[in-house]
Amino acid sequence: MKKYKINADPRVKTDLKEARDYLNSKRKGWGIRFIKEYRGLLQTLQSNPDFEIRYKNVHCLPMKTFKYLIHFRIDSSVKSVHIYAVISTHRDPNIHYL
């Protein structure tokens, strides 16, 4: 089975840095744990990205330990996943990211 190619919007890097810094400020080591979990979920998306569609054909994958969602779209024709954001579930839901 061919794996999906993962592409990330440039702002995802900022999302990850902000989350890592925030979590490290709350508890030492949580930032590293967050990044490790995110990378593990990228492997999940490579093999099976069919998670719940939340809005505008955007799928969301919840992180297991942290209250964050990975927002992405799937292009099945070319077997790719485009990640748009990694957002805390505590942020204002009225902010539009796409």
Side-chain angles (χ1 to χ4, degrees):
M1 182 177 186
K2 185 180 175 187
K3 291 187 176 189
Y4 283 75
K5 183 179 178 186
I6 304 292
N7 299 305
D9 201 73
R11 66 182 159 196
V12 170
K13 193 173 190 174
T14 303
D15 291 346
L16 294 172
K17 184 183 180 322
E18 287 175 0
R20 184 196 67 211
D21 292 348
Y22 172 76
L23 291 166
N24 274 334
S25 76
K26 295 297 177 190
R27 186 169 174 186
K28 186 177 178 179
W30 272 10
I32 292 169
R33 189 171 167 193
F34 171 82
I35 296 299
K36 285 181 181 178
E37 183 174 325
Y38 171 77
R39 288 182 180 153
L41 290 173
L42 292 181
Q43 293 176 345
T44 299
L45 289 175
Q46 283 182 320
S47 60
N48 182 17
D50 292 318
F51 289 89
E52 179 182 6
I53 295 176
R54 296 275 180 112
Y55 61 95
K56 296 183 185 177
N57 204 27
V58 173
H59 299 256
C60 289
L61 173 59
M63 296 185 77
K64 295 174 184 162
T65 307
F66 303 97
K67 294 184 186 298
Y68 283 79
L69 292 171
I70 301 172
H71 297 247
F72 62 95
R73 285 193 174 139
I74 303 169
D75 185 343
S76 297
S77 65
V78 292
K79 296 274 255 187
S80 72
V81 171
H82 187 88
I83 299 173
Y84 289 97
V86 179
I87 304 169
S88 168
T89 59
H90 295 287
R91 287 180 85 176
D92 183 352
N94 295 316
I95 296 173
H96 298 287
Y97 294 93
L98 298 177

